[in-house]
Amino acid sequence: MTAMQDILPDLPCDAEGPIFAEPWQAQAFAMTVALHKAGLFTWPEWADALSHAIKHAQAEGDPDHGDTYYHHWLRALESLIIAKCVADEALLHALRDAWDRAADATPHGQPIVLENDPQRAFV
Amino acid sequence: MDGVEKAAQPVHPPSMTHHDHDNDHHDHGHGHHHDHDREHSELSEVALRVRALETILTQKGLVDAAALDAIVETYETKIGPRNGARVVARAWADPAYLARLRDNATAAIAELGYGGRQGEHMQIVENTPDTHNMVVCTLCSCYPWPVLGLPPVWYKSAPYRSRAVIDPRGVLKDFGVTLPETMRIRVWDSTAEMRYLVLPMRPAGTEGWSEEQLAHLVTRDSMIGTGLPLTPGASA
């Protein structure tokens, strides 16, 4: 019935394929699990943030068919990081831009590291 | 692929949308369009935001790269619906285990080595000849990770989350499951505190089967309630 299950019976994946479609989804997932373990938030707090992010996305017109799930997840994580005063929006924004410049300055095929940001000053 | 198209337009917080990635490469002045510029790397908008989070969390000592890798590996290779299938098969084969599972599902599941995150408060809901059970999370995507892994895409979708409650019979039909009109359908709404695992009925014709054989009949969907276990003929 599920080819993948027949070929790799020990892997827990299902007919829908890999658990994470892209690496960033896995990273966002793992950060949430790690932060919960570190006690930054409770799971009900997380579920509340995620539910809020989903409603927000729906209000913005996301048909929410499950394929944007990790976008909601990421947004929920950002909102909790800000709510818990780990970082403010400006810092997240500045770091996002720094990574963008770093990627831009990294030759294709080489690992992208933040040190490649030509304007690296605040890290 | 519809999903890929949608993923290319992530739902960013409004404050982050001003940064149009397509414009990033227009200042290089080499006279070629960025689409043809393959000399440097690029990260998607969401990947950039994830890296920003990881940077700040690492600097603050809240996460480290090795621990994140270990979490991802665990969920990609060790946790999934085969775990739940072993629980169900044991319950089918061992009445004493079934009694413990009814009494304290969290503890009984832990006997098989499955537990932890999102499995702290488990309850089994048993299908009977009169009642079929189905699990949903109407608010987000609460799901019993230790026994089923991470939820499938449809479980996280708005149509399933809303329709499972309003029209469970119609949802089952979409999944190819038609139940007798007389059978009652109970829908269980998961929460951050309580997770449900459907215990399907043991298929007929499996008398004397080993737990391992039985486990092969247990599908993920049969433990969510959107499917039924395979029958001996279908699996052999």
Side-chain angles (χ1 to χ4, degrees), chain A:
Chain A
M1 190 153 116
T2 74
M4 197 174 301
Q5 193 66 49
D6 291 342
I7 298 163
L8 299 166
D10 293 333
L11 276 185
C13 44
D14 51 48
E16 302 194 29
I19 289 165
F20 303 108
E22 293 177 47
W24 69 266
Q25 298 179 352
Q27 290 303 106
F29 171 81
M31 281 192 283
T32 305
V33 169
L35 289 174
H36 174 245
K37 195 173 172 188
L40 190 70
F41 46 76
T42 65
W43 206 259
E45 280 181 300
W46 167 254
D48 190 51
L50 181 57
S51 156
H52 199 79
I54 291 170
K55 285 196 193 106
H56 194 101
Q58 287 177 336
E60 285 182 341
D62 180 355
D64 189 18
H65 285 159
D67 51 342
T68 49
Y69 177 71
Y70 278 103
H71 291 112
H72 309 154
W73 186 288
L74 174 56
R75 186 167 185 155
L77 184 56
E78 287 169 339
S79 72
L80 268 182
I81 296 293
I82 292 167
K84 296 289 178 181
C85 301
V86 175
D88 60 19
E89 197 160 335
L91 178 57
L92 289 181
H93 216 123
L95 280 167
R96 176 240 170 266
D97 289 349
W99 273 108
D100 200 15
R101 289 189 301 268
D104 209 37
T106 303
H108 190 70
Q110 288 188 21
I112 302 167
V113 292
L114 195 54
E115 286 69 26
N116 291 355
D117 172 19
Q119 294 177 35
R120 182 165 79 98
F122 61 92
V123 270

Side-chain angles (χ1 to χ4, degrees), chain B residues 64-81:
Chain B
D64 73 80
L68 295 182
D69 287 349
I71 290 168
V72 172
E73 203 205 329
T74 298
Y75 281 90
E76 284 187 331
T77 62
K78 296 193 177 71
I79 295 180

Side-chain angles (χ1 to χ4, degrees), chain A residues 5 11-15 17 19 29, chain B residues 74-76 78-88 109 114-119 122-125 134-136 141-155 160 190 195-200 218-226:
Chain A
Q5 193 66 49
L11 276 185
C13 44
D14 51 48
I19 289 165
F29 171 81
Chain B
T74 298
Y75 281 90
E76 284 187 331
K78 296 193 177 71
I79 295 180
R82 293 297 92 206
N83 297 2
R86 286 183 201 108
V87 171
V88 170
I109 289 166
Y114 313 133
R117 214 160 300 278
Q118 305 319 301
M122 292 292 308
Q123 184 183 329
I124 55 152
V125 287
M134 221 170 112
V135 180
V136 65
S141 52
C142 297
Y143 193 73
W145 294 356
V147 281
L148 294 186
L150 300 182
V153 169
W154 55 260
Y155 186 87
Y160 179 74
S190 312
R195 307 298 162 93
Y196 304 97
L197 180 72
V198 173
L199 184 63
V218 185
T219 62
R220 179 196 63 200
D221 290 1
S222 73
M223 294 181 281
I224 304 175
T226 52

